[in-house]
């Protein structure tokens, strides 16, 4: 321990002296991604405000693919909600918020092996926005926040070449300076977003009454379990325009903006009305003077410091390999690579293949290119077991092939979330080179068609599969489930709206996967009342099941019959009590029939810690009473939109489910605000209650 601490101290000094790495520099400056330049303008053009015309890419959305409610494309218009504040279907809303999703076992299982701490990367969601006209001199970016504001993390601008290829340049990150414009047009300059509660209010405001309101729905114990830059809630629940200054931040014309968000401490869903880009859309008669200041390469740094190498590294060379390896493992990837350029000893140590056993490239998504893969990573990933390429752009199939060929049999986890360059050929490469893969994330890979997924059925060690918002269907999932039934623990089918046989898929999951721990069916289409009953042993109409199959095309019927035969599909299920470990279930927006939840929790409720019944409007009071009796370990319960549920049923949940930490009662018509206020004082839970957009004159209070 003493050797390790001493080594860390020496290593920090080396980093400061040789690389000038410090906290200030790690927050990327405005010139980090582009050559410094000075623009001398000879004329003034009229400022133009543009609204988005398209969304090029995004990570998630609350709404359905087949709806206009709560979808990311809602920002492609002028402000429709502002200056109202509240929950609106016309806003952009991401899929999750707060600490509750990321503190669930299913999520922790996907990140536990990425042990290298990338403390500068805390983004949870992103959206790539396109505007009609190139802006040649950007002035500002205005984000209209109309519900639970304060989650913006990073702003990028895109630079397009003559072939349409885009490079992204970071020009702002939280907590760098920005402005807030209130609905009375008052503009407040925020020099540092990391404010404390005492900094958020004028002296004449009594914070004794404000602070409890702000912390009403914030679970500080939950927040302490992860790293975030957004440690405090915004000053008040009010609509606002976040104004990001762009003047003189970059020198090229752009029509592409990327926003990244960290909503891990948000009290509820954050909502955005629109995003306005302000600037001059005509080229100015400008002279661009390039700064010819020499920027040293890593090779130059080595040469310049070779004479001092002995002074800086003499003490480190005395440390054992294992100690020095542990020290280097505390560095983020950028610092590790930079450190490798300081001396020969550290070059060997930092670039040892053992340092790349766990490789998370998501924080560097805009810098991962075919060149970097072919000329760096493929030489150091011989022992890589855990790999994330999430959010990366335009990796060619040949480069992808080289990287996975190197990883090969060692690879057990692969994250390709939001990689829109994927095709069926990439999926074949995964299956051919990585037969031992156990954790596979393809969420929001919407560019893949249903047939592209078929090779996945040949994998047979999968424990975790995330195919949220993809076009995967029964052709892949039915044989896949059968091949992985002994291992499958977590599966996310949220927003998969082209499954074609969701009942058969669900039936096979519940019949065969006894190790199942979490299942996400959020907005899964085609789950009928008869189908719900058939998967948990309740009486159902066999005739209706046959009619469901007959509604498919003739080719699909024949194909489904062959698959049913090959997987020995059960006709009916008598019980699901063999599923002993199921702890997380999301049935949001699937609307199961009355009595389904009662029977469901009677069989497997003993292990449930999360049950989301969002907009399941037929769930009744008997169902909720059954939850209170059989789900004593329950920590999270979402009943949004349950207009049937009465207060006595909720009271039974609160008194019996003693571990409850999250309860969403938004739009539960029979739960009064007065009763909710009593519960807030009586129970130590985070109650969620959204409301429709409204005006409020007192900006320093939360709506009741």
């Amino acid at each position: 321990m003493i050797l390790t601490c001493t080594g860390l101290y020496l290593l920090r000094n080396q980093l400061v002296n040789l690389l000038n790495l410090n906290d200030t520099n790690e927050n990327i400056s405005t010139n980090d991604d582009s050559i410094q330049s000075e623009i001398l303008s000879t004329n003034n053009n009229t400022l133009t405000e543009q609204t988005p015309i398209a969304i090029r890419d995004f990570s998630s959305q609350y709404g359905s693919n087949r709806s206009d409610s709560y979808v990311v494309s809602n920002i492609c218009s002028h402000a429709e909600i502002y200056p109202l504040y509240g929950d609106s279907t016309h806003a952009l809303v991401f899929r999750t918020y707060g600490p509750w999703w990321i503190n669930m076992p299913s999520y922790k299982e996907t990140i536990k092996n990425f042990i290298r701490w990338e403390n500068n990367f805390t983004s949870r969601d992103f959206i790539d926005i396109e505007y009609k006209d190139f802006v040649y001199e950007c002035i500002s970016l205005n984000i209209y926040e109309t519900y639970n504001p304060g989650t913006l993390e990073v702003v990028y601008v895109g630079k397009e070449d003559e072939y349409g290829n885009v490079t992204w340049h970071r020009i702002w990150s939280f907590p760098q300076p920005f402005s807030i414009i209130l609905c009375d047009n008052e503009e407040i300059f925020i020099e540092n977003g990391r404010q404390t509660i005492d900094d958020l209010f004028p002296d004449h405001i009594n914070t004794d009454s404000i602070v409890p309101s702000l912390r009403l729905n914030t679970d500080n114990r939950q927040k302490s379990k992860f790293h975030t830059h957004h440690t405090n809630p915004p000053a008040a629940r009010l609509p606002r325009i976040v104004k990001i200054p762009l003047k003189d931040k970059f020198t090229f014309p752009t029509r592409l903006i990327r926003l990244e968000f960290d909503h891990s401490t948000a009290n509820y869903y954050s909502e955005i009305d629109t995003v306005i880009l302000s600037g001059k859309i005509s080229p100015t008669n400008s002279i661009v003077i390039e700064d010819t200041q020499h920027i040293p390469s890593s090779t130059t740094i080595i040469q310049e410091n070779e004479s001092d190498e002995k002074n800086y590294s003499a003490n480190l060379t005395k440390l054992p390999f294992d100690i020095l390896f542990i020290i280097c493992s505390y560095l983020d990837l950028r610092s590790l690579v930079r450190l490798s350029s300081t001396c020969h000893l550290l070059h060997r140590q930092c670039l040892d293949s053992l340092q790349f056993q766990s490789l998370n490239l998501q924080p560097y998504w805009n810098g991962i290119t075919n060149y970097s893969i072919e000329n760096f990573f493929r030489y150091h990933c011989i022992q890589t077991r855990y790999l994330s390429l999430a959010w990366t752009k335009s990796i060619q199939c040949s480069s992808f092939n080289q990287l996975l060929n190197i990883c090969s049999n060692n690879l057990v986890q692969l994250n390709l979330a939001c990689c829109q360059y994927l095709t069926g050929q990439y999926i074949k490469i995964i299956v051919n080179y990585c037969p031992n893969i156990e954790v596979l994330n393809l969420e929001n890979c919407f560019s893949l068609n249903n047939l592209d997924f078929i090779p996945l059925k040949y994998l047979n060690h999968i424990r975790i599969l995330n195919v949220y918002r993809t076009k995967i269907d029964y052709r892949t999932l039915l044989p896949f489930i059968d091949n992985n039934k002994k291992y499958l623990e977590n599966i996310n089918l949220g927003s998969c709206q082209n499954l074609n046989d969701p009942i058969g898929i669900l039936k096979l999951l519940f019949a065969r996967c006894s190790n199942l721990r979490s299942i996400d069916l959020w907005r899964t289409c085609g789950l009928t009342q008869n189908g719900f009953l058939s998967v948990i042993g309740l009486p159902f109409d066999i005739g209706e099941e046959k009619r469901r199959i007959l509604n498919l095309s003739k080719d699909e019927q024949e194909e489904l019959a062959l698959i049913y035969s090959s997987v020995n599909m059960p006709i009916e299920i008598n019980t699901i009590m063999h599923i002993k470990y199921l702890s997380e279930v999301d049935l949001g927006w699937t609307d199961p029939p009355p009595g389904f939840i009662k029977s469901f929790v009677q069989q497997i409720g003993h292990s449930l810690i999360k049950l989301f019944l969002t907009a399941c409007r037929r769930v009744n009071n008997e169902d909720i009473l059954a939850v209170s009796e059989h789900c004593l370990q329950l920590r999270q319960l979402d009943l949004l939109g349950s207009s049937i549920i009465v207060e006595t049923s909720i009271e039974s949940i609160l008194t019996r489910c003693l571990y409850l930490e999250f309860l969403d009662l938004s739009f539960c018509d029979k739960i009064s605000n007065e009763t909710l206020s009593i519960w807030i004082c009586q129970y130590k839970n985070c109650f969620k209650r959204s409301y429709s957009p409204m005006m409020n004159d007192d900006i320093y209070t939360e709506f009741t």
Side-chain angles (χ1 to χ4, degrees):
M1 178 62 72
I2 296 175
L3 278 173
T4 303
C5 294
T6 304
L8 282 171
Y9 176 78
L10 292 170
L11 184 55
R12 175 177 172 79
N13 288 340
Q14 283 197 135
L15 284 171
V16 171
N17 290 328
L18 291 177
L19 302 176
N20 195 24
L21 291 178
N22 51 50
D23 292 339
T24 303
N25 287 338
E26 280 303 300
N27 290 322
I28 302 299
S29 68
T30 59
N31 295 319
D32 183 63
D33 293 304
S34 61
I35 298 175
Q36 297 180 21
S37 62
E38 179 182 349
I39 299 180
L40 305 177
S41 180
T42 60
N43 73 313
N44 292 320
N45 293 319
T46 304
L47 291 181
T48 301
E49 293 187 342
Q50 294 190 76
T51 56
I53 62 166
I55 305 301
R56 288 204 171 187
D57 197 7
F58 64 96
S59 53
S60 74
Q61 64 180 15
Y62 184 91
S64 164
N65 299 332
R66 303 173 181 176
S67 170
D68 294 330
S69 299
Y70 300 118
V71 293
V72 294
S73 59
N74 281 341
I75 66 170
C76 296
S77 67
H78 293 285
E80 296 181 357
I81 308 165
Y82 189 86
L84 301 181
Y85 181 87
D87 183 7
S88 172
T89 59
H90 299 290
L92 176 160
V93 186
F94 291 113
R95 173 68 183 86
T96 66
Y97 69 91
W100 295 280
W101 277 263
I102 59 182
N103 281 336
M104 280 285 101
S106 60
Y107 180 80
K108 289 182 176 180
E109 187 69 19
T110 64
I111 63 170
K112 70 177 185 179
N113 293 313
F114 293 107
I115 56 177
R116 190 174 296 283
W117 192 34
E118 301 290 348
N119 61 313
N120 282 324
F121 182 80
T122 61
S123 298
R124 304 283 176 184
D125 272 300
F126 75 87
I127 181 168
D128 295 347
I129 306 171
E130 178 182 346
Y131 295 86
K132 179 181 179 182
D133 298 312
F134 281 94
V135 179
Y136 288 82
E137 185 179 343
C138 290
I139 303 302
S140 67
L141 187 72
N142 293 348
I143 299 102
Y144 286 65
E145 300 180 323
T146 53
Y147 200 38
N148 297 292
T151 63
L152 184 65
E153 178 71 10
V154 188
V155 177
Y156 290 85
V157 295
K159 182 180 182 180
E160 299 178 74
D161 65 17
E162 57 184 323
Y163 304 106
N165 300 314
V166 180
T167 56
W168 293 94
H169 302 264
R170 183 166 58 175
I171 48 88
W172 182 90
S173 60
F174 184 85
Q176 291 176 347
F178 62 98
S179 297
I180 293 175
I181 302 175
L182 305 180
C183 54
D184 59 0
N185 290 324
E186 177 187 0
E187 184 170 350
I188 304 171
F189 180 72
I190 307 295
E191 186 174 358
N192 186 342
R194 288 200 186 100
Q195 299 158 306
T196 66
I197 289 292
D198 294 334
D199 296 331
L200 297 177
F201 298 96
D203 293 337
H204 67 278
I205 297 297
N206 180 12
T207 58
D208 292 338
S209 61
I210 300 299
V211 171
S213 176
L214 288 174
R215 291 175 176 165
L216 167 66
N217 293 324
T218 302
D219 190 332
N220 292 310
R221 182 176 57 85
Q222 291 282 336
K223 289 197 305 182
S224 66
K225 297 178 182 179
F226 55 86
H227 176 69
T228 179
H229 299 145
H230 296 263
T231 54
N232 289 302
R237 305 295 181 261
L238 75 161
R240 67 184 195 177
I241 302 171
V242 173
K243 183 178 180 180
I244 305 298
L246 299 182
K247 188 173 177 60
D248 299 328
K249 291 292 185 74
F250 54 96
T251 62
F252 51 84
T254 188
R255 59 172 180 160
L256 301 175
I257 295 290
R258 177 187 176 100
L259 305 179
E260 293 183 1
F261 299 86
D262 177 10
H263 40 62
S264 58
T265 56
N267 293 325
Y268 204 61
Y269 291 102
S270 296
E271 300 189 7
I272 297 174
D273 191 3
T274 190
V275 180
I276 304 297
L277 179 61
S278 176
K280 299 176 181 180
I281 63 174
S282 298
T284 59
N285 296 327
S286 304
I287 302 173
V288 179
I289 304 176
E290 302 291 352
D291 187 347
T292 57
Q293 180 180 355
H294 174 62
I295 302 176
S297 65
S298 59
T299 305
T300 307
I301 293 176
I302 294 176
Q303 294 171 347
E304 289 174 350
N305 291 285
E306 275 187 344
S307 60
D308 296 327
E309 181 178 316
K310 190 174 295 185
N311 293 332
Y312 285 124
S313 60
N315 291 326
L316 282 178
T317 57
K318 298 178 181 179
L319 293 175
F321 176 90
D322 293 348
I323 298 297
L324 192 53
F325 179 87
I326 293 173
I327 292 170
C328 291
S329 70
Y330 283 97
L331 296 173
D332 60 64
L333 183 61
R334 178 185 284 113
S335 299
L336 183 74
V337 174
R338 287 176 177 174
L339 183 62
S340 71
S341 300
T342 58
C343 70
H344 295 300
L345 167 69
L346 291 175
H347 184 272
R348 292 192 301 271
Q349 177 63 248
C350 292
L351 300 187
D352 188 285
S353 59
L354 289 173
Q355 290 286 1
F356 295 84
Q357 280 188 312
S358 172
L359 184 59
N360 181 11
L361 297 179
Q362 183 177 359
Y364 310 99
W365 62 267
N366 61 325
I368 304 304
T369 62
N370 299 306
Y371 182 86
S372 64
I373 289 175
E374 294 173 7
N375 293 277
F376 181 80
F377 288 110
R378 78 183 184 97
Y379 294 109
H380 304 290
C381 293
I382 299 174
Q383 300 193 57
T384 299
R385 293 176 56 80
Y386 315 102
L387 174 64
S388 176
L389 294 169
W391 295 11
T392 54
K393 308 278 189 181
S394 303
I395 296 177
Q396 293 178 357
C397 193
S398 58
S399 302
F400 187 81
N401 184 83
Q402 290 182 45
L403 182 60
L404 262 63
N405 187 22
I406 292 297
C407 299
S408 192
N409 293 335
N410 291 325
L411 198 67
V412 296
Q413 179 170 354
L414 180 60
N415 184 355
L416 295 169
C418 307
C419 294
Q420 305 306 342
Y421 54 83
L422 295 183
T423 65
Q425 187 60 37
Y426 290 74
I427 302 299
K428 291 179 182 178
I429 291 171
I430 296 170
V431 174
N432 291 337
Y433 286 144
C434 309
N436 297 320
I437 197 163
E438 298 177 6
V439 181
L440 181 60
N441 186 352
L442 295 169
E443 66 174 322
N444 206 44
C445 292
F446 203 66
S447 59
L448 293 168
N449 64 49
N450 61 329
L451 300 180
D452 290 334
F453 291 94
I454 289 180
L456 295 181
K457 69 182 183 181
Y458 298 110
L459 296 173
N460 53 21
H461 292 90
I462 296 293
R463 294 188 299 108
I464 300 173
L465 177 69
N466 186 346
V467 285
Y468 161 81
R469 200 176 172 271
T470 64
K471 298 171 185 173
I472 197 169
D473 67 10
Y474 66 90
R475 296 174 180 87
T476 300
L477 284 171
L478 289 174
F480 171 87
I481 293 168
D482 190 54
N483 280 344
N484 294 275
K485 54 182 177 288
K486 294 181 180 179
Y487 306 101
L488 195 60
E489 297 176 1
N490 305 328
I491 186 166
N492 186 342
L493 302 175
S495 288
C496 289
Q497 300 181 348
N498 299 286
L499 296 176
N500 290 349
D501 184 30
I503 297 302
I505 292 166
L506 192 58
K507 187 181 295 185
L508 197 61
L509 277 169
F510 281 0
R512 302 282 169 76
C513 300
S514 57
N515 284 319
L516 199 64
R517 284 159 167 76
S518 78
I519 181 169
D520 190 332
L521 298 172
W522 170 271
R523 291 190 183 275
T524 299
C525 289
L527 292 172
T528 62
Q529 173 173 322
N530 198 63
F532 270 114
L533 298 177
S534 69
V535 301
I536 58 169
L538 292 178
F540 68 100
D541 187 343
I542 297 179
E544 183 180 331
E545 180 68 7
K546 292 180 179 179
R547 289 190 292 273
R548 180 182 68 83
I549 301 296
L550 291 174
N551 285 332
L552 300 173
S553 69
K554 187 175 181 180
D555 289 342
E556 287 178 325
Q557 290 180 40
E558 294 176 354
E559 195 170 22
L560 196 59
L562 289 173
I563 296 175
Y564 272 21
S565 176
S566 67
V567 302
N568 193 22
M569 174 67 75
I571 298 176
E572 59 181 324
I573 299 176
N574 295 323
T575 179
I576 58 171
M577 294 184 68
H578 59 282
I579 305 179
K580 299 179 180 180
Y581 310 110
L582 189 60
S583 60
E584 302 173 41
V585 176
D586 192 333
L587 297 174
W589 297 88
T590 60
D591 203 20
F596 171 82
I597 294 300
K598 179 180 179 180
S599 178
F600 184 74
V601 299
Q602 284 174 344
Q603 297 182 61
I604 52 85
H606 65 279
S607 58
L608 278 184
I609 62 173
K610 172 182 175 178
L611 180 60
F612 274 31
L613 303 173
T614 315
C616 294
R617 307 185 195 283
R618 293 187 291 174
V619 171
N620 60 28
N621 289 287
E622 288 187 11
D623 292 325
I624 299 305
L625 290 173
V627 170
S628 70
E629 292 176 16
H630 299 282
C631 304
L632 301 183
Q633 304 299 316
L634 197 64
R635 289 162 50 186
Q636 299 182 12
L637 178 62
D638 189 337
L639 297 174
L640 179 147
S642 300
S643 57
I644 302 175
I645 307 302
V646 298
E647 293 175 357
T648 53
S649 298
I650 300 300
E651 189 81 48
S652 67
I653 293 284
L654 294 172
T655 55
R656 294 178 64 91
C657 301
L658 302 181
Y659 298 98
L660 196 67
E661 62 191 16
F662 172 102
L663 178 59
D664 194 336
L665 298 175
S666 301
F667 305 111
C668 292
D669 297 339
K670 295 187 177 180
I671 309 298
S672 69
N673 290 331
E674 292 75 18
T675 300
L676 183 59
S677 298
I678 295 173
W679 288 343
I680 289 170
C681 297
Q682 188 174 355
Y683 301 101
K684 296 179 180 180
N685 303 318
C686 283
F687 294 90
K688 304 298 173 186
R689 191 78 180 252
S690 62
Y691 41 81
S692 299
M694 61 178 70
M695 292 292 293
N696 188 45
D697 294 331
D698 186 356
I699 67 171
Y700 297 107
T701 61
E702 183 169 11
F703 298 124
T704 58

